[in-house]
Amino acid sequence: RWGLGMLPVGDCSFGRVERAIDRIAAAAPGLKRRFLGAATLCAAADGTVTEKEAELLRALAAAIDAPIPDVLLPAFPSAGT
């Protein structure tokens, strides 16, 4: 079991986020795509993706060495090249 759930605020740290991103970066390409797809769905849950949300998703994609989800390409015209 993955043990997914929300951590108490006191247990959250940059180190934990960094370790989680490192684990995802080491995953198979398909899992990375699914992760970014899920993150994109979360960002778009209110019907829009803000500039800050799009930039965070771009940074996540770069951190795990995965392509930016297609739905975000209009926000980053140079990303498709």
Side-chain angles (χ1 to χ4, degrees), residues 58-81:
R58 187 215 54 81
L60 280 172
I64 65 172
D65 194 28
I68 295 172
D70 290 344
V71 69
L72 297 178
L73 289 177
F76 301 100
S78 63
T81 61

Side-chain angles (χ1 to χ4, degrees), residues 9-79:
V9 172
D11 290 346
C12 297
S13 68
F14 285 114
R16 268 195 127 134
V17 171
E18 185 176 28
R19 287 189 301 278
I21 289 173
D22 288 345
R23 286 182 69 189
I24 295 166
L31 183 59
K32 292 179 189 185
R33 282 191 301 275
R34 288 183 18 213
F35 168 77
L36 283 176
T40 302
L41 287 173
C42 289
D46 62 357
T48 187
V49 176
T50 66
E51 185 176 333
K52 287 181 181 183
E53 290 168 333
E55 185 59 29
L56 178 59
L57 290 166
R58 187 215 54 81
L60 280 172
I64 65 172
D65 194 28
I68 295 172
D70 290 344
V71 69
L72 297 178
L73 289 177
F76 301 100
S78 63

